[in-house]
C-alpha cells in the first residue's frame, strides 16, 4: 500500500526539516519504498515452512521405505510440462498453491530413497545426513571463511582427518567440492602445479607439453590416474603395482576412489584398495556407498606443504583478509576453486556421529553381502547371464528372454539382445516398479548394471528385482 499521502512519512528530498527528522515510528520512504520494519510477512512465512516440512515428512520420509509406493511416476517431458504449473509470473502465488506445487514436485520426482531404486551409484535414505542437510539449508552458510561457517569448517576438518586416517595417512590436506570429476580435476592441477610451481606466473604457454602417462616423444609425464571402483563394472586397479612405477619415475599418483573409496571403512573389503596410502591424492565420495547425500565429495592430498593453497589460492581481499582478529588458517575456502561452497562435509560428519566407524563398516559389508547374494541367484536362474564376477557392488548381467535362449551366440543374437535391456527399462519405468541402469560397454551389448547400496534394501528386494525383470521381459 502506498504511504505517499501519509503526513507521518518523511520522503527523502523533502525540504521540510520536521519531515526530515521523523519519530522512530514514522515510516521512512525512499524511492517510493517504505523501509520501516521487515518486508516479509514473517508469521505467514514460518507457517509455510512448517506446512512444507510436514508435507516432506509425510510424503517423502515416511514413504521412503514403502515398497507399495512407486519408484517413479514416469511422464514424458511434454506431458509433465502440462501437469506441473511451471510458469513464473509477475505476481506471486498464495501459499496453498505453492504447497500443491510441492506435492506435485514430490509426486513426479524419482524416489531415489525407495528400496527398489538401483539406478545410480547412490540410493536410499540416510536419516542423519538428511537432518544435517535440513540444518545447513536452514542456516545457509558458505564454507569459505571461519567467520561465516565456524562449525561447518571445523566439522570439515575433522571429517577430512578421519578420511585420511582411513586412507592410511597420518597427515595431509583436503577439500570437499562438488563432484568426483571436480576432485579429479583438482588432483590433475595439483600434480601439474607440483611439477611446475611457477605455472601461475608463467601460464600454460610457459610449460613443456605435459602428458598424463609415460611417453618417449619428448613430452613430460607427470601424473598417473588409477581408479578404485569404476562406474560401470566396479573394477579396482592394482594400486601397489602402479605406485611402484610412479615412485620409480617420480610421477604423481592420483586414485579416483569416488565410488570404491567407501570400502576403506570395512576391514573385510579394504584390501580392494591395497596400496592407496602410497597415492599422492585420492578422490572419495561419501555420498555414494556411505549415503551422505548428494553431493559429498572429498579430495584428499598427502602433501602437507600447503600445496592445495599454493595452487588454488586467489587471495580474494574481500574474504580472506590477513589482518582478521582470529587465526585465518581456518579460512580454508581459499584452497578451493569455488567461492561460495556448501557445507557438504557436515552431512557425512552427522552420519558418522550417528553410526560410528563400526556402523559405516556394517553398511558396506551388508551392501557387498547382498551383492554376493544377487550374483549367486543370477547364476541359478534361467535367462540371466553374468557379464563377469563382480569385485564390488556393481552386478552386471544380461537378461535373455525365452525367444533368444536357444539361439546361437552369433551377431544376430547379440544384435537382438542389445534391444532387450532398453525395452525392459522402458517398461519398468512406466510401471514404476523398479529402476536400474543399463549400458553397452567396451564391445559388450546393452546389459543391466545393478548397484546395491542402501541398508533399507533386503534379500527380498534382490529376489523381486530378478522376478520383475523376468515378468517384464518374458514376452520379448
Ligand atoms: N559419477 C558417475 C556416477 C554415475 C552413476 O551414478 O552411475
Amino acid at each position: 500500500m502506498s504511504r505517499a499521502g501519509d503526513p507521518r512519512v518523511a520522503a527523502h528530498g523533502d525540504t521540510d526539516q520536521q519531515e526530515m527528522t521523523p519519530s522512530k515510528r514514522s515510516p521512512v520512504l525512499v524511492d517510493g519504498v517504505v523501509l520501516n520494519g521487515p518486508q516479509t510477512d514473517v508469521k505467514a512465512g514460518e507457517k509455510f515452512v512448517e506446512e512444507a516440512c510436514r508435507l516432506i515428512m509425510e510424503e517423502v520420509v515416511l514413504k521412503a521405505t514403502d515398497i507399495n509406493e512407486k519408484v517413479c511416476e514416469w511422464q514424458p517431458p511434454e506431458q509433465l510440462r502440462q501437469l506441473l504449473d511451471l510458469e513464473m509470473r509477475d505476481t506471486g502465488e498464495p501459499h496453498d498453491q505453492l504447497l500443491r506445487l510441492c506435492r506435485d514436485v514430490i509426486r513426479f520426482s524419482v524416489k531415489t530413497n525407495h528400496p527398489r531404486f538401483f539406478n545410480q551409484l547412490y540410493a536410499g535414505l540416510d536419516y542423519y545426513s538428511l537432518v544435517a542437510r535440513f540444518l545447513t539449508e536452514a542456516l545457509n552458510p558458505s564454507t569459505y571463511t571461519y567467520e561465516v561457517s565456524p562449525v561447518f569448517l571445523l566439522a570439515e576438518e575433522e571429517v577430512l582427518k578421519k578420511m585420511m586416517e582411513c586412507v592410511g595417512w597420518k597427515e595431509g590436506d583436503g577439500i570437499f567440492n562438488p563432484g568426483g570429476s571436480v576432485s579429479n580435476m583438482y588432483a590433475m592441477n595439483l600434480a601439474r602445479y607440483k611439477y611446475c610451481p611457477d605455472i601461475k606466473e608463467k601460464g600454460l604457454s610457459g610449460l613443456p607439453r605435459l602428458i598424463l602417462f609415460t611417453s618417449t616423444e619428448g613430452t613430460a609425464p607427470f601424473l598417473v590416474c588409477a581408479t578404485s571402483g569404476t562406474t560401470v563394472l566396479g573394477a579396482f586397479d592394482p594400486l601397489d603395482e602402479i605406485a611402484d612405477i610412479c615412485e620409480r619415475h617420480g610421477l604423481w599418483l592420483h586414485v579416483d576412489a569416488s565410488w570404491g573409496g567407501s570400502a576403506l571403512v570395512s576391514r573385510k573389503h579394504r584390501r580392494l584398495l591395497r596400496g592407496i596410502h602410497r597415492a599422492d591424492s585420492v578422490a572419495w565420495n561419501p555420498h555414494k556407498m556411505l549415503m551422505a547425500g548428494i553431493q559429498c565429495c572429498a579430495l584428499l592430498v598427502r602433501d602437507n606443504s600447503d600445496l592445495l593453497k599454493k595452487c588454488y589460492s586467489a587471495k580474494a581481499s574481500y574474504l580472506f583478509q590477513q589482518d582478521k582478529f582470529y587465526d585465518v588458517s581456518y579460512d580454508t575456502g581459499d584452497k578451493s576453486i569455488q567461492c561460495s561452497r556448501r557445507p557438504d562435509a557436515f552431512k557425512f560428519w552427522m552420519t558418522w556421529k550417528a553410526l560410528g566407524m563400526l556402523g559405516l563398516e556394517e553398511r558396506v559389508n551388508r551392501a557387498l553381502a547382498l551383492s554376493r547374494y544377487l550374483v549367486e541367484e543370477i547364476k541359478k536362474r534361467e535367462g540371466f547371464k553374468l557379464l563377469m564376477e563382480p569385485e564390488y557392488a556393481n552386478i552386471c548381467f544380461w537378461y535373455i528372454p525365452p525367444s533368444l535362449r536357444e539361439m546361437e551366440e552369433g551377431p544376430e543374437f547379440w544384435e537382438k539382445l542389445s534391444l532387450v535391456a532398453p525395452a525392459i527399462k522402458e517398461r519398468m519405468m512406466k510401471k514404476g516398479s523398479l529402476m536400474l541402469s543399463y549400458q553397452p560397454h567396451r564391445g559388450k551389448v546393452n546389459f543391466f548394471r545393478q548397484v546395491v547400496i542402501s541398508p533399507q534394501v533386503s534379500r527380498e528386494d534382490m529376489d523381486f528385482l530378478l522376478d520383475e525383470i523376468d515378468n517384464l521381459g518374458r514376452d520379448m
Side-chain angles (χ1 to χ4, degrees), residues 3 24-29 33-42:
R3 307 278 179 102
K24 279 191 181 148
R25 297 176 66 101
S26 316
V28 173
L29 199 75
V33 179
V34 178
L35 300 181
N36 297 52
Q39 185 198 12
T40 45
D41 181 342
V42 173

Side-chain angles (χ1 to χ4, degrees), residues 357-414:
M357 181 71 158
L358 295 177
L360 295 175
E361 177 179 37
E362 202 178 312
R363 203 171 259 191
V364 172
N365 288 350
R366 180 181 159 84
L368 292 177
L370 265 180
S371 306
R372 207 59 244 162
Y373 171 81
L374 184 66
V375 167
E376 296 310 318
E377 286 304 299
I378 287 174
K379 286 179 185 167
K380 282 184 215 158
R381 293 208 187 200
E382 200 190 353
F384 289 84
K385 185 178 163 74
L386 271 180
L387 203 81
M388 52 184 271
E389 278 293 329
E391 283 184 83
Y392 200 43
N394 314 39
I395 298 105
C396 298
F397 64 94
W398 286 286
Y399 172 72
I400 303 166
S403 66
L404 298 183
R405 286 183 198 162
E406 302 306 318
M407 197 182 267
E408 192 188 328
E409 290 188 10
E412 192 190 344
F413 170 84
W414 293 111

Side-chain angles (χ1 to χ4, degrees), residues 120-121 231 288 449:
Q120 309 301 150
L121 300 183
T231 301
K288 291 188 156 96
R449 179 198 67 171

Side-chain angles (χ1 to χ4, degrees), residues 119-122 180-181 231 258 285 287-288 437 449 451:
N119 208 64
Q120 309 301 150
L121 300 183
Y122 66 91
S181 305
T231 301
S258 297
N285 298 359
H287 76 227
K288 291 188 156 96
S437 181
R449 179 198 67 171
V451 180

Side-chain angles (χ1 to χ4, degrees), residues 52-63 106 134:
C53 284
R54 195 171 312 125
L55 182 71
I56 294 168
M57 193 64 203
E58 283 165 10
E59 295 299 314
V60 182
V61 179
L62 297 182
K63 290 187 176 173
I106 296 170
F134 285 158

Side-chain angles (χ1 to χ4, degrees), residues 169 187 190-191 194 222-223 246 250-255 276-282 299-303:
W169 299 338
L190 273 182
K194 174 113 190 217
F222 71 105
L223 168 83
C246 289
L251 299 173
W252 181 286
L253 172 58
H254 173 65
V255 179
I276 195 164
H277 62 286
R278 298 169 68 190
D280 293 286
S281 54
V282 173
L299 174 77
L300 309 174
V301 185
R302 180 149 61 110
D303 167 276

